[in-house]
Amino acid sequence: QWRGEVGEGLPGWSEKDKAHLSQEIADVLLYLCRLSHKCRIDLPQAALDKLMLNAAKYPAAMVRGSSKKYNEYRVGSQVEGSATR
């Protein structure tokens, strides 16, 4: 199972644990490739589209270091996503 937040390069992990994680990640990748093929979804393009959506939803200058939901960021004097009444 996943161990929560981990440092880059998996410090403190044994080579055996790193190899096991590598296999698990490969399983996920292979599943996604098969699923996207079956659904006729261009997986690389879908990933690029999602990156563009996330960049618009979570502007780096505004969200870096924060865990707020996208509709909690202030744009001007209004909270993004809130209704004006």
Side-chain angles (χ1 to χ4, degrees):
Q1 288 294 328
W2 189 244
R3 300 179 184 186
E5 292 293 320
V6 296
E8 188 173 331
L10 305 173
W13 284 45
S14 70
E15 289 305 313
K16 181 179 176 182
D17 285 343
K18 288 179 184 181
H20 179 78
L21 177 60
S22 177
Q23 292 170 6
E24 293 297 323
I25 291 171
D27 284 343
V28 172
L29 176 63
L30 293 170
Y31 175 78
L32 285 174
C33 290
R34 286 192 306 265
L35 180 61
S36 66
H37 177 76
K38 186 170 185 86
C39 297
R40 296 187 177 142
I41 292 174
D42 181 347
L43 188 56
Q45 188 60 55
L48 291 172
D49 293 346
K50 182 60 176 173
L51 287 171
M52 289 189 327
L53 285 171
N54 284 350
K57 205 179 216 185
Y58 302 98
M62 195 181 283
V63 303
R64 185 165 283 120
S66 176
S67 60
K68 291 180 182 177
K69 188 166 169 60
Y70 72 93
N71 63 354
E72 296 179 279
Y73 294 102
R74 295 208 173 265
V75 177
S77 61
Q78 182 179 351
V79 174
E80 173 84 14
S82 66
T84 307
R85 293 177 194 211

